[in-house]
Amino acid sequence: MVNIGTLDISVVIPTLEAGATLSETLGMLGSVEEIVVVDGGSRDGTQDVAIRHGARFVRAAKGRGYQLAAGADLARSEWLLFLHADTHLEPGWKSAVTDFIASPPNKEKAAAFSFTLDDMSPQARRLEWIVALRARTLGLPYGDQGLLIHRDLYRAVGGYPSWELMEDVDLVRRIGRKRLVILPIAANTSAFRWKQEGWFTRSARNLFCLSLYYLHVPPRLIARIYGSS
């Protein structure tokens, strides 16, 4: 185990009207070298929350792909951790990340966390199982599982595309299943959207959008379908 002081990573977080969830996400990060919050046009208190927690706050074109790419360009550390604004890493994440980046061969790999939801229902447990199966067998962790990657590998595979949607799937596909590690630490994500839209409806829509991506439907059209569902 490597001793942990200030963890030398840049955490990049895309935001849009994330004032209600961002504070908890930033609060659990503790001492890291840099946090870059890349906002897509929030009008709530997102900027105030970011600044209060000592993060760099910058603006970019709306859309996670645009925002993540912009944040990676601005980040200063060699290791990058991409994280959603409503995803909270469980205690022990810094030890797991420190151990991962301390191993030289892992500069050629990337890591994601295990997916969990902040809901105790059977539907949540079922979805967590499905996501774990998808990540393990297909090598397809989504953005709400975070992504830890060395800058050299990030650049070598081309980084995040400037897309509104499916940017996470596209990047991990280019990384490849053999270079992806799922860390035994939970990234706990809000279940609000599943409960609001319906567990089956949201999951079916996500699967439909993934299918469209594999059929080479342009991401801008998938984003329209996703937004209108």
Side-chain angles (χ1 to χ4, degrees), residues 20-170:
T21 60
L22 183 61
S23 183
E24 185 174 354
T25 298
L26 295 177
M28 60 77 193
L29 289 177
S31 297
V32 297
E33 184 64 27
E34 178 184 44
I35 302 171
V36 184
V37 172
V38 189
D39 191 71
S42 297
R43 296 183 178 180
D44 63 354
T46 298
Q47 180 174 2
D48 293 337
V49 171
I51 293 173
R52 186 166 66 246
H53 283 271
R56 297 173 63 192
F57 182 87
V58 297
R59 296 193 184 275
K62 179 182 175 182
R64 274 190 176 141
Y66 302 110
Q67 293 166 238
L68 290 164
D73 288 342
L74 291 169
R76 295 187 290 259
S77 297
E78 291 300 304
W79 282 93
L80 309 173
L81 173 58
F82 300 98
L83 198 65
H84 285 184
D86 62 349
T87 296
H88 311 138
L89 301 180
E90 72 172 348
W93 76 270
K94 291 181 73 173
S95 293
V97 166
T98 300
D99 290 344
F100 182 84
I101 67 179
S103 176
N106 286 341
K107 288 182 65 175
E108 302 298 326
K109 298 180 181 180
F113 300 95
S114 302
F115 175 81
T116 62
L117 289 166
D118 62 351
D119 187 87
M120 299 303 295
S121 68
Q123 295 96 320
R125 300 292 81 77
R126 188 179 305 115
L127 181 59
E128 290 169 0
W129 182 85
I130 292 170
V131 169
L133 181 65
R134 184 193 70 216
R136 184 172 63 251
T137 60
L138 300 179
L140 282 180
Y142 284 179
D144 48 17
Q145 291 178 250
L147 184 70
L148 175 68
I149 186 170
H150 192 275
R151 181 182 298 279
D152 291 346
L153 178 58
Y154 176 82
R155 289 173 174 167
V157 299
Y160 279 106
S162 295
W163 295 351
E164 296 179 49
L165 198 68
M166 310 308 297
E167 79 293 330
D168 49 356
V169 173
D170 192 73

